Amino acid sequence: PYQAIEIDPLKDRHVVRDLSSLTRALCNLGDRTAWLALLRSPLCGLELSELEDLAMAQPKALLWESMTNSNIVSSLPDEAKKRVGQLADVLRSSMRWRERKPLATVVEGAWLALFGPSCIEQESDLDNVKAFFHVLKRFSYTTFDVKSFDSSLEGLYAKPDVRETNPVQVMTLHKSKGLQFDHVFIPGCERQSR
């Protein structure tokens, strides 16, 4: 077993990507990429064929409009109808709280209502979710900008998985200085410098 310390960027974790898609979708109904990612994520879980049917039914319309159009949704398989209906209900409720509650509170409520915690793969991802919401608290609906938000996530790293006892710790040479390990392996030392 191993532990990567400050190696994996926070924004690359699946749970953080799903939360980012949810946030972007709630903040901008016209962000088609965010809506497609949200519909495909475990929070909704549409198959690619179902996603294509929903998205291409009215290619120029907002995906939110397609999701809430009963004629389009009725053409989907039963399980997909149920998932899209649940997502639409949760997001409709969340959109009612826009401008009344902080953005982080609305997104967290939507994530919990969509059973987001059940999608977590590792226990350490709970800490990653907390870090995401800590960054999101700095933004509101009016100040949320995708570039600003993404730059706020830059430099943050995912928490290592600590379930195993005595794992090998993988880190940069700079990070390992002063930790006084009994054994240190530095791969690539035999390579010639340029």
Side-chain angles (χ1 to χ4, degrees):
Y2 70 94
Q3 235 180 32
I5 299 174
E6 292 192 9
I7 300 286
D8 297 326
L10 181 67
K11 66 180 183 168
D12 289 346
R13 298 295 302 166
H14 289 291
V15 68
V16 173
R17 284 185 188 170
D18 296 341
L19 281 166
S20 293
S21 298
L22 176 61
T23 304
R24 289 173 52 193
L26 282 171
C27 288
N28 183 359
L29 294 178
D31 189 342
R32 196 166 178 84
T33 304
W35 280 97
L36 290 170
L38 177 60
L39 289 164
R40 185 74 173 117
S41 76
L43 299 175
C44 183
L46 290 186
E47 298 289 330
L48 285 175
S49 60
E50 298 162 349
L51 185 61
E52 185 178 9
D53 291 343
L54 184 67
M56 298 311 290
Q58 291 179 322
K60 302 255 187 218
L62 298 174
L63 279 169
W64 173 249
E65 292 171 351
S66 297
M67 285 174 54
T68 54
N69 184 327
S70 59
N71 294 332
I72 295 172
V73 174
S74 65
S75 69
L76 297 172
D78 290 339
E79 185 63 32
K81 279 184 220 175
K82 188 173 122 183
R83 288 191 215 137
V84 169
Q86 180 184 4
L87 179 64
D89 290 344
V90 169
L91 295 182
R92 189 177 293 113
S93 174
S94 297
M95 288 178 196
R96 287 186 191 124
W97 292 106
R98 287 170 45 156
E99 306 297 335
R100 294 184 200 167
K101 287 187 175 183
L103 176 61
T105 303
V106 173
V107 172
E108 185 174 11
W111 183 69
L112 292 172
L114 292 168
F115 305 104
S118 66
C119 301
I120 289 179
E121 298 168 354
Q122 299 175 350
E123 193 174 319
S124 61
D125 278 335
L126 286 174
D127 292 328
N128 297 329
V129 167
K130 287 178 187 174
F132 173 86
F133 284 117
H134 182 72
V135 171
L136 190 59
K137 284 180 182 177
R138 299 183 211 150
F139 294 87
S140 68
Y141 284 103
T142 54
T143 63
F144 184 81
D145 174 334
V146 175
K147 288 183 181 179
S148 304
F149 183 69
D150 286 346
S151 67
S152 296
L153 289 177
E154 288 291 328
L156 297 178
Y157 294 95
K159 301 289 184 215
D161 187 13
V162 291
R163 289 181 291 182
E164 301 290 340
T165 55
N166 200 21
V168 173
Q169 295 184 22
V170 180
M171 62 186 73
T172 64
L173 185 61
H174 176 72
K175 197 76 178 155
S176 68
K177 288 182 182 176
L179 293 179
Q180 299 181 3
F181 291 108
D182 292 337
H183 303 284
V184 176
F185 296 94
I186 305 173
C189 279
E190 75 284 352
R191 287 189 225 146
Q192 297 279 332
S193 61
R194 291 182 185 209

